[in-house]
Amino acid sequence: MKAIRGATTVAADTPEEIRGAVKELLEEIVKRNGLQEEDILCILFSNTSDIHSLYPAKAAREAGFTHAALYSSLEPEIDGALPLCLRALLFAECAKAEHVYLRGAANLRKDLKKFSVALDGPSGSGKSTVAKLLAASFHILYLDTGAMYRACALKAVKEKLTNITEEAVKPLMDGLDLKIEYRDGTQHTILDGEDVSEAIRRPEVSMAASNISALRCVREKMVEMQRQIAKEQSCVLDGRDIGTHVLPDAEFKFYVTATSAVRAKRRYDELKAKGYSVDLSELQKEIEERDRNDSTREFSPLRKAEDAVLVDTSEMTIEEVLAFIRKKIQEKV
Ligand code: DC
């Protein structure tokens, strides 16, 4: 018999959230450990004291885990504990235990880190959509590194800095208050205590991000943060220099690209859907200028790592790209 550990988090203390999180956690434990219903003898749950709207054991019963003996308990309040967290300890007949930590709970078991995925490529290649779906499908962390450069650019815009040079930007970087937080698995970019996740997507921030990201003082600071986040858990990072510079030892590297016309059309559709009025040919020109900027800069330019797999998405759907990349990873893990 083996004891299998698992943990997950909920976005809020509601019965629906708890039901969803418990079901997802148990199904993942069953899948990863190849369990049959009769293999599971009992499941013990515990949860932090900010969760009380539904017993996890009841959620497990509702999810169809009726064969095993179930038990729930409350954890003592511990200062600094991961909030809204649910833990499971499952006793089962199996050869070896694979522990499962989902959503923000992966933070609790950094020793279980298995692999990093580097997804690089120009903007509009579809890499961030794929990266997000890929991370969700493996229940691992997604870090959008472009959001971090965008936040630096937003800071410069807010400070009305027009002179984007090392000298002018360095003091801004020294005093930068940037945090990446995850709420229910979704990345939030917090600048000076304010959630700027939406504001950094504004079109004028895109070009500013490309300019500011060329500076050494900006890159050094962001890369250090990225490595710190990636060190601790299995993750997917997307950007321009992940495979070449940030995580040169990443287990999986992909370079995702598409023609500039296709990329401009994708960005056009995306911005239009958000209510921005944009001109397609202007967008294509801007994308090509950003490509030039990003790939000709001195520090960590946009470039395919030698050991990265090239994925041209011009004629592929997101689902096809995702399936291709997932298959490559699953062949090895
Ligand atoms: O992926 P994105 O469009 O959100 O990125 C915004 C800008 O940030 C992009 O023009 C290049 C830069 N960037 C970078 O230099 N390195 C990264 N790892 C990610 C983004």
Side-chain angles (χ1 to χ4, degrees):
M1 187 167 62
K2 291 279 180 277
I4 307 170
R5 294 282 290 142
T8 189
T9 59
V10 288
D13 177 26
T14 63
E16 299 71 44
E17 276 286 328
I18 296 167
R19 269 187 207 106
V22 166
K23 185 166 189 284
E24 182 186 62
L25 178 65
L26 295 181
E27 287 179 353
E28 198 59 27
I29 292 177
V30 164
K31 188 170 101 194
R32 289 200 208 170
N33 289 280
L35 303 176
Q36 303 294 323
E37 192 188 347
E38 56 279 10
D39 296 332
I40 307 171
L41 306 179
C42 72
I43 313 173
L44 312 182
F45 291 96
S46 70
N47 59 264
T48 47
S49 54
D50 46 7
I51 295 180
H52 20 72
S53 64
L54 183 70
Y55 281 125
K58 186 157 187 283
R61 206 162 52 235
E62 288 175 8
F65 289 81
T66 48
H67 183 83
L70 304 168
Y71 176 82
S72 279
S73 66
L74 193 65
E75 291 177 17
E77 233 165 278
I78 292 172
D79 205 23
L82 187 64
L84 295 169
C85 184
L86 291 161
R87 292 175 178 79
L89 181 60
L90 194 140
F91 290 92
E93 293 296 353
C94 56
K96 95 181 203 330
E98 181 173 339
H99 307 300
V100 176
Y101 286 74
L102 304 181
R103 308 188 191 186
N107 258 326
L108 299 167
R109 288 298 301 268
K110 290 160 184 161
D111 56 312
L112 296 178
K113 175 173 170 78
K114 289 208 297 206
F115 62 88
S116 302
V117 184
L119 273 181
D120 288 305
S123 56
S125 56
K127 66 179 188 310
S128 41
T129 309
V130 170
K132 226 176 276 171
L133 294 169
L134 188 66
S137 75
F138 283 111
H139 294 291
I140 61 176
L141 182 116
Y142 163 56
L143 177 63
D144 168 5
T145 63
M148 300 169 70
Y149 293 99
R150 285 170 177 271
C152 296
L154 184 66
K155 177 78 183 170
V157 170
K158 281 190 167 165
E159 299 282 325
K160 302 198 173 27
L161 207 73
T162 45
N163 190 17
I164 302 297
T165 61
E166 292 283 348
E167 298 69 42
V169 175
K170 178 86 174 46
L172 220 67
M173 286 298 110
D174 290 343
L176 188 75
D177 177 10
L178 173 65
K179 291 190 189 74
I180 300 299
E181 291 180 359
Y182 288 86
R183 297 198 198 124
D184 197 21
T186 305
Q187 176 173 334
H188 288 259
T189 307
I190 315 292
L191 180 67
D192 295 326
E194 188 194 338
D195 191 335
V196 294
S197 309
E198 270 301 311
I200 56 171
R201 299 289 149 203
R202 291 204 303 259
E204 70 270 21
V205 181
S206 301
M207 201 63 210
S210 179
N211 290 333
I212 210 164
S213 68
L215 300 180
R216 180 194 282 270
C217 64
V218 174
R219 299 208 75 80
E220 281 178 352
K221 183 137 189 165
M222 293 305 105
V223 169
E224 192 190 318
M225 274 179 79
Q226 291 157 17
R227 286 185 180 148
Q228 198 58 37
I229 296 170
K231 184 171 91 186
E232 317 209 301
Q233 52 202 297
S234 293
C235 54
V236 179
L237 266 66
D238 80 340
R240 305 291 187 285
D241 59 339
I242 310 301
T244 53
H245 181 62
V246 181
L247 304 176
D249 298 327
E251 286 73 8
F252 301 98
K253 296 183 186 179
F254 298 91
Y255 188 82
V256 184
T257 189
T259 63
S260 63
V262 168
R263 290 187 284 126
K265 178 69 171 62
R266 287 178 186 160
R267 198 38 62 93
Y268 175 83
D269 292 342
E270 195 182 309
L271 289 171
K272 255 195 112 186
K274 283 188 183 165
Y276 291 103
S277 79
V278 277
D279 179 82
L280 182 58
S281 61
E282 276 301 309
L283 258 185
Q284 184 167 348
K285 255 192 255 156
E286 192 194 298
I287 277 196
E288 285 167 1
E289 193 184 334
R290 271 220 279 159
D291 285 358
R292 239 186 332 273
N293 242 355
D294 296 344
S295 52
T296 56
R297 69 177 177 227
E298 191 181 346
F299 309 112
S300 327
L302 165 66
R303 140 177 104 68
K304 178 185 165 302
E306 272 175 24
D307 51 350
V309 176
L310 179 73
V311 191
D312 184 339
T313 70
S314 304
E315 314 237 318
M316 290 169 90
T317 63
I318 290 292
E319 291 72 31
E320 287 168 342
V321 180
L322 181 67
F324 175 82
I325 293 181
R326 268 186 65 83
K327 186 158 174 275
K328 289 268 176 228
I329 296 174
Q330 278 171 325
E331 279 166 7
K332 294 212 183 138
V333 296

